[in-house]
Amino acid sequence: MSERKPSIKTGSSSQSRFQVDVVTEGSSTPAPAPASTPGSADGSRAPPEESKGRFKVVGFMDPGGLGTATDIGHPPDVFHEPDTTRSDSVSLHSSGTGQTHFSDSHSNTYYMRTFGHNTIDAVPNIEFYRQTAAPFGEKLTRPSLSELHDELDKEPFEDGLANGEEPSAAEEAAALMAKEAKGGSVKFGWIKGVLVRCMLNIWGVMLFIRMSWIVGQAGIGLTIAIILMATTVTTITGLSTSAIATNGFVRGGGAYYLISRSLGPEFGGSIGLIFAFANAVAVAMYVVGFAETVVEMLSDVDALMTDELNDVRIVGTLTVILLLGISVAGMEWEAKAQIVLLVILLAAIANYFLGTFIPVENKEPKGFFGYHTAILFENFGPDFRDEETFFSVFAIFFPAATGILAGANISGDLADPQSAIPKGTLLAILITGITYVAVAISAGSCIVRDATGDQNDTVSDTVNCTDAACTLGYDFSICKEGGCKFGLMNDFQVMSLVSSFGPLISAGIFSATLSSALASLVSAPKVFQALCKDNIYPGLGIFAKGYGKNNEPLRGYVLTFCIGLAFILIGELNIIAPIISNFFLASYALINFSVFHASLANSPGWRPSFKYYNMWVSLAGAILCCVVMFVINWWAALVTLLIILALYIYVSYKKPDVNWGSSTQALIYNQALTHCLNLSSVEDHVKNFRPQCLVLAGYPNSRPALLQLVHSFTKDVSLMVCGHVRTVARRPNFKDLTQDYVRCRRWLLKKRIKAFYAPVFADNLRHGAQLLLQAVGLGRLKPNTLVMGFKNNWSDGNMRDVENYINTIHDAFDLQFGVVILRLMDGLDISHIPGQDELLSPSEKPPKESKDVLIPVSAAKDSDSDSCPSKTHSNQSSPLIIRATETKCPLSLTDQRLLESSQMFKKKQGKGTIDVWWLFDDGGLTLLIPYLLTTRSKWGDCRIRVFIGGKINRIDHDRRAMATLLSRFRIDFSDINVLGDINVKPKKHNKLSFKELIEPYRLREDDMEQEAAERLKAQEPWRITDNELELYKAKTNRQIRLNELLREHSNTAKLIVVSMPLARKGTVSSALYMCWLETLSKDLPPLLLVRGNHQSVLTFYS
């Protein structure tokens, strides 16, 4: 069978760029050789591997196949040949050589015809919307925007595919055939999967051995009220479950899956664990109930093996082993067992109702008389005894109404969970509710409350008797004194008495207990497996593994068996039973709250196809569940809430790396949006000023000291944005940009730096900074302070970079930003140092034998860098990490000091001073930043020293005035120093050093013609003119003198904050301004140059 792949080949300049050969796929008759074309002189075909280009797209195609080239819209100059075998689908690929190829397949994986034309655009297809976790062979991808929009000759993605590696058509077909050969997994419909399970779980043992007692205590009226109250709670929960289940595809995990995907991993993880545990312990409860019934029957015939307690343990152990065998055999066998149990249960219920219509005379002394109006009226009202109340009776009945999640818990085994869960759950609630009401009415209408069981207790003429039994010929008035063993109040087995065949009721009790135990034994592992798959709790992943075609959680079955067996052997279930009931109720409450929360968040993704729900009804249901928890047992409710709270706090602290689009995220967005809009409607006030910082840091891990210092005074106080100006020759593709962004965000999260990351592409630092200064922020959440690193290597680099650097400062002032510049003696940028791979996730890290080198960009270094260009380069478009093959070499002393200083703000600073040189009033930003630092634990031991300029004859006056101002600002300080000698001329050798510094940048216009000088100044605007030097001589001397004073007074400070000198735009050249900053800040401890926007940021008014 021959197979050829057509290709679109690049022809010569005189020919069309696109030339297409249409697919010829194997047939008995070989296809004729294609004619030679200008683009392919020998008529040869491209090899199959060339089809691994960057286009991988999907569309639809009509059954007619491709037809001819003319049919699919080929250009007139395209040569083609007729198909010998029609194809169902076609894929279009582009190779890295600029060639594009057709690939033909039958699997709908690649490009298929869209409206009958040759386009890679695809029509809507449900397969495009499947998650990546879909079963192998079913995931298809639409063409990306880049594939449709980018230039054809753009380089392909590294993996050759636009949306990640996907299986080929042949691989998908093989996988599908293998799956079909193996046999598909067993899936249940709504009746067998949901309705049957829910009814079996709700029709518990309570129906046969406690319902009659509840009617005797509460009467028919209040019993119906109790049933309706319980049914109301379960119905609301059922409606909420239906809403969540129909809001998208439901996977396995039941209640855990529904809650976690709605409210997030914190609620889901906490409720999932206790829900699985509750089901595991419920197995023990139901099995013990079955065992007690069996042991009671053995006791009646004197056939006990040892004693009653140990017999319960023996029977319970054997029973749970049998149930485990049924469960491990597979869901199909478990479903068959449930059907058998349902038939027995239905027969027992029918047997009871049939017996109520067959009055037997020998049953009358025991209280059963058949349907009589007198009995109905007498039993309609309550007759609470033994300190029972309405709520205590309700607490006893309510667990019988639970079990509505039995179908949802196996959601992964349902053929159509979205349809099955609503229909099956709600119908089960309706049927079982009607059954309970019918049993209550029938029992209350034909059985009296008390009976002696003695046939001789008939009515005599001498006794004044008014009870219903008296009208029927019996006098049970002696029962008022107590001691009677029959009747609704005294005989738990009265339904066996009433039924037409007593042993069938015992079989019904067995069926109810075993079916509930079996349902719980299946539910617990399924929920636990889903929880473990999500890796919410590290260390539990061993239980996530499934086996067989149904992905059975065999390890979960064993764990559930062990938990159930342990509680069976303990035997004391009376204490644990209320907690288990409250665990289930907590699940119901959270399901109801999930619907309310999702509706409140008003997310566009919340659109369940089940419309019969209301957010306020769901909220009422959640509150009702919580109320019922306390009604059943208040201490158990408290224990449940404490356990949920502890698990919630644990999961919140661990922050699992999952994103399920929960309603919590949607509500946070809504609240953030609302608050942003509210902020925008209010004018700023000086009391609420916060230094909201835009930090030009490049890649976040390239200047950690800068970020850590800014984070110290913005954390939990104000906004911090890490701006990154990327000056690459060619912009990377979207995939690389996204990966870069994710890595940078991951690094910030790992370092617990509360900041946003905002990258921009620009020609140079200034243009990028202009974009960030103007565009970053939202409403009032907008930066007002620009933070930069000092450009340490400015004298060694291109002066145009210095020009851009200084102009960035001017642009910030033009936009009324404050400016902060940090200088460390050893520099800030560590991006050139090998081994800085912290932006990589563990899965992305390379083998240890290779070396990674972090660089800001590849072909050209970012212009906002403050270090020398890296010696290692890469041809990649925008790498964060590049791989170097040379052996690891030791760091130089300079790099070692740089690495040490880059972590200096990460540790606690200890005792010391923050010296604030508040020389010029900029509105108070120079003072506010040090104050905010001292409020942090890392800087808490540091004290603020304030230095101000003054005159020798006014030092005391100036000190008192500043002390008064600081006290009114409520800012603590340790000392105030007035610099009376600030205007003294600087030392001669320092002036000579400054002269040597500026020498390379002087224009020296007096040594050349005026025209030449003007031309040079225009070409190199940073040049310093002689006139400029003379004009700003005093200001130059001030910077030199200030550096002398700084080294004299603040050489041991932990941090120096000094007012940054201003340079008039258009008058002071960038080289001179840079020399001022260099001279002022050199050879000093960590130093912040600060200049506010001269708007007050401090106030002493309340």
Side-chain angles (χ1 to χ4, degrees):
M1 183 177 185
S2 64
E3 178 177 350
R4 306 195 206 172
K5 294 186 181 289
S7 62
I8 301 176
K9 303 180 181 179
T10 305
S12 63
S13 58
S14 62
Q15 296 294 332
S16 170
R17 181 181 177 188
F18 301 100
Q19 294 190 346
V20 180
D21 293 330
V22 179
V23 175
T24 300
E25 196 170 65
S27 65
S28 57
T29 306
S36 298
T37 68
S40 178
D42 59 356
S44 62
R45 307 260 182 190
E49 52 265 41
E50 288 186 7
S51 65
K52 295 180 180 179
R54 70 182 187 86
F55 289 108
K56 181 171 185 180
V57 295
V58 184
F60 281 120
M61 161 173 193
D62 60 54
L66 284 174
T68 63
T70 307
D71 294 334
I72 61 173
H74 287 174
D77 58 347
V78 173
F79 297 89
H80 64 275
E81 60 190 49
D83 288 337
T84 53
T85 301
R86 300 290 183 181
S87 171
D88 291 324
S89 60
V90 170
S91 69
L92 179 61
H93 298 281
S94 171
S95 70
T97 60
Q99 296 179 336
T100 308
H101 311 279
F102 279 96
S103 174
D104 146 277
S105 72
H106 292 279
S107 67
N108 292 340
T109 304
Y110 299 116
Y111 162 71
M112 291 172 284
R113 282 174 60 183
T114 305
F115 308 139
H117 293 287
N118 183 20
T119 172
I120 65 172
D121 225 347
V123 296
N125 186 342
I126 189 174
E127 301 297 336
F128 298 152
Y129 296 90
R130 293 193 187 278
Q131 295 181 358
T132 54
F136 182 73
E138 297 181 10
K139 173 69 176 130
L140 304 181
T141 53
R142 70 176 64 82
S144 69
L145 187 61
S146 299
E147 292 169 349
L148 298 172
H149 179 258
D150 287 354
E151 299 174 13
L152 282 174
D153 59 349
K154 193 167 183 178
E155 289 192 12
F157 292 108
E158 293 178 6
D159 57 4
L161 298 173
N163 294 304
E165 191 65 42
E166 294 289 345
S168 66
E171 289 171 338
E172 288 184 346
L176 190 60
M177 290 175 63
K179 186 176 179 180
E180 289 175 353
K182 183 179 179 181
S185 60
V186 178
K187 298 292 184 181
F188 303 114
W190 70 275
I191 296 178
K192 198 173 180 181
V194 182
L195 179 64
V196 170
R197 293 173 186 278
C198 288
M199 287 196 302
L200 282 171
N201 242 25
I202 298 172
W203 278 333
V205 69
M206 187 76 66
L207 179 66
F208 297 102
I209 63 176
R210 284 291 186 275
M211 200 65 218
S212 57
W213 177 85
I214 292 172
V215 173
Q217 289 279 355
I220 297 174
L222 289 184
T223 299
I224 294 174
I226 288 172
I227 295 171
L228 291 179
M229 283 177 60
T231 306
T232 299
V233 174
T234 55
T235 302
I236 293 174
T237 306
L239 294 174
S240 298
T241 305
S242 302
I244 300 176
T246 59
N247 189 51
F249 183 74
V250 178
R251 299 187 184 276
Y256 160 72
Y257 185 90
L258 298 178
I259 294 172
S260 63
R261 269 48 176 186
S262 295
L263 291 178
E266 294 83 7
F267 280 110
S270 56
I271 206 66
L273 195 61
I274 68 168
F275 189 74
F277 178 76
N279 274 286
V281 178
V283 174
M285 291 176 56
Y286 294 128
V287 169
V288 167
F290 168 78
E292 286 178 347
T293 306
V294 172
V295 169
E296 186 178 338
M297 294 175 65
L298 293 175
S299 178
D300 291 342
V301 295
D302 198 20
L304 290 177
M305 292 174 279
T306 55
D307 56 81
E308 289 192 3
L309 180 59
N310 285 321
D311 278 14
V312 167
R313 291 170 176 167
I314 294 171
V315 174
T317 301
L318 295 175
T319 304
V320 78
I321 291 174
L322 174 64
L323 295 178
L324 177 67
I326 295 173
S327 301
V328 171
M331 289 296 295
E332 196 169 3
W333 283 96
E334 187 267 350
K336 291 177 180 177
Q338 293 280 28
I339 293 295
V340 172
L341 294 173
L342 178 65
V343 170
I344 296 173
L345 192 58
L346 289 173
I349 295 173
N351 177 48
Y352 162 73
F353 282 110
L354 184 62
T356 60
F357 292 100
I358 308 175
V360 180
E361 190 172 333
N362 62 1
K363 294 181 181 180
E364 291 181 355
K366 297 181 179 180
F368 172 58
F369 294 94
Y371 291 101
H372 287 280
T373 307
I375 299 176
L376 172 66
F377 287 138
E378 182 179 85
N379 290 338
F380 195 83
D383 183 16
F384 294 112
R385 303 178 189 176
D386 302 326
E387 298 183 354
E388 298 290 348
T389 64
F390 175 82
F391 288 109
S392 66
V393 173
F394 175 79
I396 291 172
F397 171 78
F398 188 82
T402 60
I404 60 172
L405 295 181
N409 286 339
I410 62 162
S411 53
D413 296 297
L414 299 176
D416 184 9
Q418 290 181 277
S419 171
I421 291 175
K423 286 195 291 187
T425 304
L426 294 175
L427 188 57
I429 292 172
L430 177 63
I431 293 173
T432 54
I434 291 174
T435 304
Y436 275 121
V437 170
V439 169
I441 294 175
S442 64
S445 301
C446 61
I447 308 170
V448 295
R449 280 193 168 98
D450 299 289
T452 59
D454 188 352
Q455 293 183 351
N456 297 321
D457 288 336
T458 55
V459 176
S460 62
D461 295 335
T462 59
V463 177
N464 184 15
C465 181
T466 58
D467 292 339
C470 296
T471 61
L472 299 173
Y474 283 86
D475 179 13
F476 298 138
S477 57
I478 193 174
C479 291
K480 294 179 181 180
E481 300 174 4
C484 292
K485 296 182 179 181
F486 298 97
L488 293 174
M489 299 288 268
N490 309 305
D491 186 7
F492 290 154
Q493 303 291 336
V494 70
M495 289 187 70
S496 298
L497 172 71
V498 173
S499 64
S500 59
F501 183 61
L504 196 53
I505 296 297
S506 298
I509 295 174
F510 293 163
S511 173
T513 52
L514 292 178
S515 63
S516 297
L518 192 57
S520 297
L521 185 57
V522 170
S523 297
K526 296 282 186 182
V527 173
F528 195 58
Q529 182 187 35
L531 178 67
C532 295
K533 278 184 178 179
D534 290 334
N535 199 27
I536 301 296
Y537 299 100
L540 298 181
I542 187 175
F543 296 102
K545 183 175 176 58
Y547 297 86
K549 59 186 179 181
N550 263 32
N551 196 33
E552 295 290 348
L554 297 185
R555 296 174 180 177
Y557 283 133
V558 173
L559 178 64
T560 305
F561 167 78
C562 293
I563 294 173
L565 183 60
F567 279 96
I568 288 171
L569 296 178
I570 292 172
E572 293 295 330
L573 294 179
N574 291 336
I575 296 177
I576 198 73
I579 299 178
I580 300 306
S581 297
N582 277 307
F583 280 179
F584 287 120
L585 276 169
S587 304
Y588 299 166
L590 280 180
I591 288 176
N592 285 311
F593 184 72
S594 298
V595 173
F596 168 75
H597 199 267
S599 302
L600 184 66
N602 198 26
S603 171
W606 173 251
R607 46 183 189 277
S609 57
F610 183 84
K611 302 299 182 184
Y612 304 101
Y613 74 95
N614 180 275
M615 60 181 290
W616 301 110
V617 172
S618 295
L619 178 62
I623 296 172
L624 276 175
C625 288
C626 294
V627 170
V628 171
M629 287 172 64
F630 283 92
V631 167
I632 290 177
N633 192 304
W634 66 267
W635 64 263
L638 287 178
V639 170
T640 303
L641 294 178
L642 288 175
I643 293 174
I644 293 175
L645 180 62
L647 293 173
Y648 180 91
I649 293 172
Y650 171 80
V651 177
S652 299
Y653 175 76
K654 297 296 289 185
K655 288 184 172 60
D657 188 18
V658 294
N659 183 9
W660 296 323
S662 65
S663 60
T664 304
Q665 295 173 345
L667 192 60
I668 290 173
Y669 174 86
N670 268 6
Q671 292 172 341
L673 183 61
T674 302
H675 292 158
C676 281
L677 292 171
N678 290 340
L679 277 175
S680 299
S681 62
V682 180
E683 292 297 325
D684 285 331
H685 193 280
V686 62
K687 287 196 296 184
N688 293 324
F689 176 85
R690 301 161 187 261
Q692 302 188 113
C693 297
L694 170 62
V695 188
L696 296 185
Y699 282 108
N701 67 339
S702 61
R703 295 171 181 81
L706 181 61
L707 293 186
Q708 287 161 2
L709 179 64
V710 177
H711 185 246
S712 294
F713 63 82
T714 60
K715 179 185 177 184
D716 298 329
V717 171
S718 59
L719 174 71
M720 177 180 172
V721 179
C722 298
H724 184 186
V725 179
R726 301 185 62 177
T727 55
V728 292
R730 185 172 184 177
R731 181 171 178 172
N733 57 47
F734 180 76
K735 180 180 178 182
D736 290 336
L737 292 178
T738 303
Q739 289 177 349
D740 286 2
Y741 182 86
V742 170
R743 288 168 179 166
C744 292
R745 284 294 308 148
R746 185 189 299 135
W747 187 89
L748 291 171
L749 289 172
K750 180 182 176 183
K751 299 299 180 183
R752 297 188 177 182
I753 294 177
K754 297 182 178 180
F756 298 95
Y757 173 67
V760 294
F761 285 85
D763 297 333
N764 53 52
L765 172 67
R766 184 186 183 186
H767 291 162
Q770 286 174 341
L771 294 174
L772 291 169
L773 288 168
Q774 296 179 78
V776 166
L778 185 67
R780 296 287 180 217
L781 297 178
K782 188 176 179 65
N784 53 31
T785 305
L786 176 68
V787 182
M788 305 168 67
F790 185 81
K791 197 170 182 63
N792 275 14
N793 65 328
W794 68 274
S795 58
D796 300 328
N798 190 336
M799 285 304 293
R800 293 193 182 276
D801 291 341
V802 177
E803 180 77 7
N804 287 328
Y805 182 82
I806 297 301
N807 283 331
T808 299
I809 298 174
H810 289 313
D811 293 337
F813 288 138
D814 288 342
L815 294 169
Q816 295 297 296
F817 272 64
V819 175
V820 177
I821 298 177
L822 172 65
R823 180 170 188 179
L824 300 184
M825 194 178 299
D826 297 310
L828 290 168
D829 189 4
I830 63 171
S831 61
H832 63 285
I833 299 178
Q836 306 302 310
D837 62 345
E838 292 182 346
L839 284 179
L840 287 181
S841 66
S843 61
E844 295 170 325
K845 287 188 177 181
K848 291 184 178 180
E849 60 268 13
S850 62
K851 186 179 83 172
D852 291 337
V853 181
L854 172 65
I855 60 174
V857 292
S858 53
K861 191 171 177 67
D862 281 358
S863 61
D864 60 338
S865 170
D866 62 0
S867 64
C868 297
S870 172
K871 296 179 182 178
T872 307
H873 296 283
S874 167
N875 292 326
Q876 297 180 17
S877 56
S878 61
L880 294 176
I881 307 294
I882 64 172
R883 187 77 55 81
T885 56
E886 64 267 18
T887 57
K888 187 174 182 180
C889 58
L891 295 179
S892 65
L893 290 176
T894 303
D895 285 345
Q896 288 180 12
R897 288 199 308 269
L898 178 56
L899 273 179
E900 290 173 3
S901 65
S902 70
Q903 302 298 319
M904 65 186 307
F905 298 127
K906 190 177 181 180
K907 57 189 177 182
K908 190 173 179 63
Q909 297 302 305
K911 290 187 177 181
T913 62
I914 299 177
D915 290 356
V916 181
W917 292 64
W918 197 14
L919 305 176
F920 307 101
D921 194 335
D922 60 350
L925 185 63
T926 308
L927 192 61
L928 179 61
I929 289 176
Y931 164 73
L932 291 175
L933 283 173
T934 57
T935 62
R936 304 300 181 181
S937 58
K938 290 179 183 178
W939 295 86
D941 295 334
C942 293
R943 296 293 174 259
I944 294 177
R945 290 196 305 175
V946 180
F947 293 81
I948 59 173
K951 296 179 180 179
I952 295 178
N953 57 350
R954 291 173 55 90
I955 289 178
D956 289 339
H957 177 272
D958 292 342
R959 182 183 290 113
R960 286 195 300 271
M962 179 55 62
T964 301
L965 182 60
L966 293 177
S967 63
R968 288 196 175 185
F969 285 152
R970 304 170 304 283
I971 292 178
D972 294 332
F973 59 91
S974 62
D975 194 13
I976 296 176
N977 293 278
V978 182
L979 304 171
D981 55 349
I982 193 171
N983 292 320
V984 174
K985 290 184 178 180
K987 295 176 182 178
K988 189 174 182 179
H989 69 275
N990 289 330
K991 293 174 68 175
L992 288 174
S993 297
F994 182 81
K995 188 175 181 181
E996 292 174 1
L997 179 63
I998 66 171
E999 191 64 29
Y1001 314 111
R1002 293 186 63 180
L1003 181 62
R1004 296 192 176 280
E1005 65 270 26
D1006 292 342
D1007 297 340
M1008 62 181 74
E1009 295 181 1
Q1010 182 179 354
E1011 184 178 347
E1014 290 176 354
R1015 186 166 54 252
L1016 182 59
K1017 180 68 174 176
Q1019 292 173 353
E1020 300 178 354
W1022 59 82
R1023 291 284 181 182
I1024 306 171
T1025 64
D1026 295 339
N1027 182 50
E1028 182 184 356
L1029 272 179
E1030 185 63 30
L1031 182 62
Y1032 292 104
K1033 183 177 180 180
K1035 195 163 188 176
T1036 297
N1037 289 336
R1038 186 188 304 146
Q1039 311 313 317
I1040 301 172
R1041 177 59 182 158
L1042 280 173
N1043 181 259
E1044 295 174 355
L1045 293 171
L1046 282 165
R1047 282 190 283 182
E1048 177 184 347
H1049 296 284
S1050 299
N1051 204 35
T1052 60
K1054 295 290 184 182
L1055 179 68
I1056 302 172
V1057 183
V1058 60
S1059 295
M1060 186 171 70
L1062 277 182
R1064 190 171 295 278
K1065 185 172 60 173
T1067 305
V1068 179
S1069 63
S1070 57
L1072 180 58
Y1073 191 22
M1074 198 71 213
C1075 289
W1076 286 351
L1077 299 179
E1078 169 72 27
T1079 301
L1080 175 64
S1081 59
K1082 69 179 181 179
D1083 301 329
L1084 290 168
L1087 180 138
L1088 277 180
L1089 293 164
V1090 180
R1091 175 68 71 155
N1093 64 357
H1094 288 245
Q1095 299 292 323
S1096 295
V1097 301
L1098 296 172
T1099 181
F1100 46 78
Y1101 293 107
S1102 60

